[in-house]
Every structure is written in C-alpha cells, then in structure tokens.
Amino acid sequence: MKFIKAILSAAVIAAVCIAAPAQAAPKRIALVVKALGNGFFEAAARGAEEAAKELGDVEIIYTGPTDTTAEGQIEVINSLIAQRVDAIAISANDAEALVPALKKAMNRGITVISWDSGVAPEGRQVHLNPSSNALIGNMIIKLAADHLPDGGEVAVLSATATATNQNIWIEEMNKVMGNYPGIKVVATVYGDDLADKSYREAQGLMQTYPDLDAIIAPTSIGIVAAAQAVVDAGKVGKVNVTGLGLPSEMAGAIESGASKSFAIWNPIDLGYSATMIAHALANGDATAEPGAKIPMGRMGTLTLDDDRAGAMSDPFVYDSSNIDAFKSIF
C-alpha cells in the first residue's frame, strides 16, 4: 500500500511540475553611469525602470562610481562580474581604459553595451549614440525654420573654429538647407565656448544684420549667452535663439521668449533604449553585427553600422510645453 501511495505522490508531483513550469529568473541588467548623484543619469535610470516594467522579466541594477573616473568604473565592473549579472550597459568615463574589464565580462558570458559615452569597439558588443551628426545637423536648422514659415536670415554662433563635432554638425546642416527654402545663413561666428565672447559675438551679429531672425548655437554655452544678448538688446520676439542646450540652463530663455525651442538628448529615452537593447542581446533576440536591427520598444529600431554602433533618434525638442518637467533633471 505504501508503495502505491509513493507512486501516486510521485505522479502528482510530476503532474504539478508539468502544469506549472519553473519561472525563469529575471534578467539582471546593470545600468552603469559615469558617476552617481547626477540628475542626467538618474533620469536615464527612470527610463531603464520603465523598460524593465514593460519587459516584465528584468531587474535593473543602477550603479556607478562616486566620481567620474575610469578606475571607479572598473571597480564597479569587476563587482558586477562577481555578481554574474546578465548584462552591463555603461556610459564610459574612458573609451579605452575600460576595455580589459569589459572584455573579461564578455568572456564570462555577460552582454556588454555602451550608451551615451562610448567604449572602444573591442570592449563592447554595441554602442548606442544619442543621435547622429546628420540628425543633429538637420534638427538645428529645422528648429529655426519651424518659426520662419516665410523664410528669413539666420546666423550660426558656434564654439571654436576647430571644434570637430560643431563643424560636422554645421556641415550636415548645410547639406539639407535645400529642404528649408527661404532660409538664408548670413554668417558663422565663434564664441570659443566662452560665455563673454559668445555674448559679444551674438551682439555683433544683431548689429551687423539688423534683419536677423534667428541665431543657431549648437553649443550649450553659446546658446545661453546668445539668449541673454537677445534679451539685453530688447529683441525678444524678433530674434529667436535655438540650437543645442541644457534644460536647466535654458529654462529662463524659454520663459523670457528669447528661445522658442532648442534640442538635446532625452536621458529618459536613452536609459529606456539601452535597457531594451541589452535585454534583446542577452535573450538572444538580436545579434550584435554590422547591419543588424535591434528593437528598442517605443523608440523604434537601432540599426548598427560597421562599428556596431547606431543612433537612437532625432535630438529631443524642449519648449514651453515640457521645459518645467526637465529643468530640474539636467
């Protein structure tokens, strides 16, 4: 009798196991930032949690050093390897110095991607750029043209004449000028990323070109200085300042009307997208190879180039409708 009961018990246990398969362990994805205590990265962590909730089987480990050093991030990476996390998504303090530690992680089967600030290709599987040079170049002229339906005169206030990224963005802007008929670029000047020099250059533009309609400053220092120059010149409503800036520094310019809108990346979207990409790779739902397309949830699809890097999206536009939500973040 005992023997029959034992067989029946075993059969019941087997039936339960078949009816209720073991729950898969959640993927543990570490979002490693340059340093803790930074509002930009805390916003990225909010995006990561949003992605985790949407995916349903992800645990986010938000971590980073207390200061922005490669050494601090290497310590964090080694700790994550010891914890056997499934994926590391890192914004790097040093593109090269982190490579040995991240290669060690990949050798242990951990998915590694970089986002925001990249790691050299040999130290990661994928890099997520916030945007691309072409998208940025188009956006800065679009922001000016959107408020000039009948065309007008615009000028560029850049950082330095030798700033590689600024020059590429301006070059990309010039490539798409034909898409914005009636918009004429009358000058390009340089504030050397100094607030006082940028302010004087903006003043000079308004004096030299009295019909100037917009100043495009693809630099966070230049755009703030230009907005102040417009306010001081009494030209709010006449000259619109736009370009790339930080919400915390541009909130006053939006409030005064010196700037109708500007752009920069959205850290929430970055954290969200990085988590989606890391999850897809760790789950085997995507591959890290040139030309591959990796799903990013509500942000669409990331297409990888020959270096296994890709651009997330157009720069995010900030204006009076959303500046209050972001000005305390970064």
Side-chain angles (χ1 to χ4, degrees):
M1 190 62 179
K2 288 182 179 178
F3 177 70
I4 294 174
K5 284 183 177 178
I7 291 176
L8 290 173
S9 297
V12 168
I13 292 171
V16 169
C17 290
I18 292 171
Q23 190 76 27
K27 293 292 183 187
R28 294 189 300 157
I29 298 176
L31 192 74
V32 183
V33 298
K34 290 180 178 177
L36 296 174
N38 182 311
F40 180 90
F41 292 120
E42 287 169 3
R46 285 169 49 191
E49 292 292 349
E50 177 194 344
K53 184 177 180 181
E54 190 174 315
L55 291 165
D57 64 343
V58 172
E59 175 190 345
I60 298 295
I61 301 172
Y62 176 61
T63 184
T66 55
D67 54 6
T68 54
T69 63
E71 292 76 13
Q73 285 192 316
I74 290 170
E75 285 186 22
V76 170
I77 293 165
N78 286 331
S79 173
L80 292 170
I81 294 171
Q83 295 175 50
R84 299 180 180 179
V85 299
D86 295 289
I88 294 173
I90 187 167
S91 175
N93 283 324
D94 188 307
E96 299 292 341
L98 303 183
V99 169
L102 292 173
K103 287 176 75 172
K104 178 181 174 183
M106 289 189 287
N107 289 336
R108 302 289 175 87
I110 296 173
T111 294
V112 175
I113 73 166
S114 55
W115 57 282
D116 176 50
S117 179
V119 173
E122 61 269 27
R124 47 75 176 168
Q125 292 166 258
V126 166
H127 175 63
L128 172 66
N129 284 306
S131 191
S132 70
N133 292 326
L135 292 174
I136 294 169
N138 179 68
M139 178 58 73
I140 57 177
I141 189 65
K142 181 178 184 299
L143 287 169
D146 281 348
H147 298 285
L148 296 169
D150 299 322
E153 294 185 357
V154 305
V156 177
L157 169 60
S158 188
T160 66
T162 56
T164 304
N165 57 351
Q166 307 272 318
N167 289 338
I168 292 174
W169 295 337
I170 293 169
E171 184 179 326
E172 293 291 340
M173 180 191 80
N174 290 329
K175 288 180 183 176
V176 297
M177 284 298 297
N179 297 334
Y180 303 97
I183 301 297
K184 180 182 179 184
V185 178
V186 295
T188 298
V189 297
Y190 302 93
D192 293 344
D193 257 350
L194 299 172
D196 55 347
K197 186 170 190 296
S198 297
Y199 180 89
R200 293 195 301 273
E201 291 290 347
Q203 283 183 316
L205 286 171
M206 289 185 282
Q207 292 166 359
T208 305
Y209 304 96
D211 295 326
L212 190 67
D213 295 292
I215 297 175
I216 299 170
T219 153
S220 61
I221 293 175
I223 193 173
V224 173
Q228 188 59 52
V230 166
V231 171
D232 293 347
K235 292 207 170 189
V236 171
K238 168 60 180 172
V239 179
N240 176 37
V241 177
T242 190
L244 302 179
L246 301 176
S248 58
E249 296 177 351
M250 285 296 291
I254 293 291
E255 184 178 354
S256 72
S259 176
K260 298 182 186 300
S261 60
F262 63 96
I264 197 73
W265 352 120
N266 181 334
I268 297 174
D269 290 346
L270 262 179
Y272 173 91
S273 300
T275 302
M276 286 291 184
I277 293 166
H279 181 267
L281 293 172
N283 257 9
D285 296 333
T287 56
E289 58 187 18
K293 296 183 183 299
I294 304 177
M296 297 189 293
R298 63 173 171 78
M299 295 302 294
T301 301
L302 181 75
T303 301
L304 300 183
D305 63 17
D306 290 343
D307 286 329
R308 290 170 281 111
M312 180 178 70
S313 66
D314 275 322
F316 189 80
V317 176
Y318 299 85
D319 56 23
S320 60
S321 70
N322 59 23
I323 192 71
D324 287 341
F326 287 93
K327 66 182 183 183
S328 61
I329 295 177
F330 71 112

